[in-house]
């Protein structure tokens, strides 16, 4: 898989972990990939699309989560 048309990321052999806060049948899975990339997918559709984040993108996202940037009012 190509990320931003530049980096090839191999999803074969990735270890997918269910996110701890996935309620009921809603399932988000995360995998740590080569070169620090992070994959996210719908655990109910493991053969579906995968979002792949670069290390910088993932760091910005997790910092936003920790800062409450995505909290509902």
């Amino acid at each position: 898989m190509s990320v931003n048309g530049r980096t090839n990321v191999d999803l074969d052999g990735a270890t997918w972990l269910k996110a701890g806060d996935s309620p009921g049948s809603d399932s988000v899975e995360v995998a740590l990939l080569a070169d620090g990339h992070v994959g996210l997918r719908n655990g109910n559709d493991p053969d579906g699309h995968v979002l792949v984040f670069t290390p910088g993108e993932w760091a910005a996202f997790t910092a936003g989560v920790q800062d409450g940037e995505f909290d509902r009012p």
Side-chain angles (χ1 to χ4, degrees), residues 33-56:
L33 306 171
D35 298 329
H37 289 86
V38 177
L40 290 179
R41 71 179 183 185
N42 178 347
N44 296 324
D45 185 15
D47 295 323
H49 295 288
V50 175
L51 299 175
V52 177
F53 297 90
T54 65

Side-chain angles (χ1 to χ4, degrees), residues 16-72:
W16 294 94
L17 304 171
K18 183 174 179 178
D21 290 338
S22 294
S25 63
D26 294 335
S27 175
V28 175
E29 294 181 338
V30 179
L32 300 178
L33 306 171
D35 298 329
H37 289 86
V38 177
L40 290 179
R41 71 179 183 185
N42 178 347
N44 296 324
D45 185 15
D47 295 323
H49 295 288
V50 175
L51 299 175
V52 177
F53 297 90
T54 65
E57 291 168 334
W58 188 251
F61 171 70
T62 57
V65 170
Q66 291 173 350
D67 290 341
E69 184 176 337
F70 308 110
D71 290 353
R72 293 181 181 174

